[in-house]
Amino acid sequence: KRHVASLREQVAQLTRDSSASRSDSLDQLRSELMSRIEAQPRPSLLLGAAASDMAVPDGERKTLLNQRAIFEQLKQQFQEAKDASPVNDAPTMDFGGREAELEGELREVRTENVDLCIRIESLQHELREKQQESSVLCQSSGALQAE
């Protein structure tokens, strides 16, 4: 019982430690993102927010600006990744053709290998039959000589 209780206590301690470190990491990431966003304000976002200053309190306006800035950054990154992907597809198409060619050669070699294995097995079987036949002939020859 003591051992189980100590193990439960250890698990609880590890859980607290890991959740605290995760929380610290998230706080650090949030603060880093906020500092990056605040360092590069976008004029289009500021103009749009200035028109709606009277309807939105200051704290909420700042949150909306941050959300818009993050959204714009994500949108831009997505667009860049989308634009970059067709350029990277061209070399893989050539590689795919080479890959298909190699797969065809591999199939041919495997088929040839199976044929050769069958031929070897057949020749070995034939060799065993010839050995048995020669053994029988030697025995009969020996018997004839003995007579």
Side-chain angles (χ1 to χ4, degrees):
K1 288 184 178 182
R2 289 181 192 172
H3 185 62
V4 171
S6 68
L7 287 175
R8 285 184 183 165
E9 186 178 325
Q10 287 177 353
V11 168
Q13 180 65 32
L14 289 173
T15 303
R16 284 190 297 264
D17 291 344
S18 67
S19 65
S21 67
R22 268 189 254 133
S23 177
D24 291 341
S25 297
L26 288 174
D27 288 341
Q28 182 182 5
L29 181 61
R30 185 179 335 116
S31 64
E32 183 180 334
L33 286 173
M34 295 301 279
S35 67
R36 285 185 183 180
I37 290 169
E38 290 172 1
Q40 298 176 354
R42 296 189 184 252
S44 61
L45 293 176
L46 292 175
L47 291 175
S52 63
D53 274 346
M54 297 189 183
V56 181
D58 190 36
E60 290 180 23
R61 183 177 60 86
K62 198 170 200 179
T63 303
L64 287 174
L65 285 175
N66 291 340
Q67 288 176 354
R68 288 178 186 161
I70 291 172
F71 177 73
E72 288 297 320
Q73 286 177 348
L74 288 174
K75 189 175 170 183
Q76 183 181 6
Q77 288 175 356
F78 178 74
Q79 189 63 34
E80 289 172 359
K82 188 176 172 184
D83 292 342
S85 65
V87 175
N88 293 336
D89 287 343
T92 57
M93 296 301 287
D94 294 335
F95 183 72
R98 177 73 175 139
E99 185 177 342
E101 180 183 326
L102 290 174
E103 285 177 359
E105 287 181 31
L106 181 62
R107 269 187 249 113
E108 289 176 19
V109 168
R110 283 183 177 167
T111 304
E112 186 179 335
N113 186 28
V114 168
D115 291 341
L116 290 174
C117 286
I118 291 171
R119 175 113 170 110
I120 289 172
E121 194 67 34
S122 171
L123 290 172
Q124 286 176 343
H125 179 71
E126 193 175 318
L127 179 64
R128 283 189 295 267
E129 287 178 351
K130 295 290 182 184
Q131 285 175 340
Q132 287 175 351
E133 186 180 329
S134 69
S135 174
V136 168
L137 287 174
C138 283
Q139 286 178 353
S140 65
S141 163
L144 285 174
Q145 284 180 354
E147 287 180 7

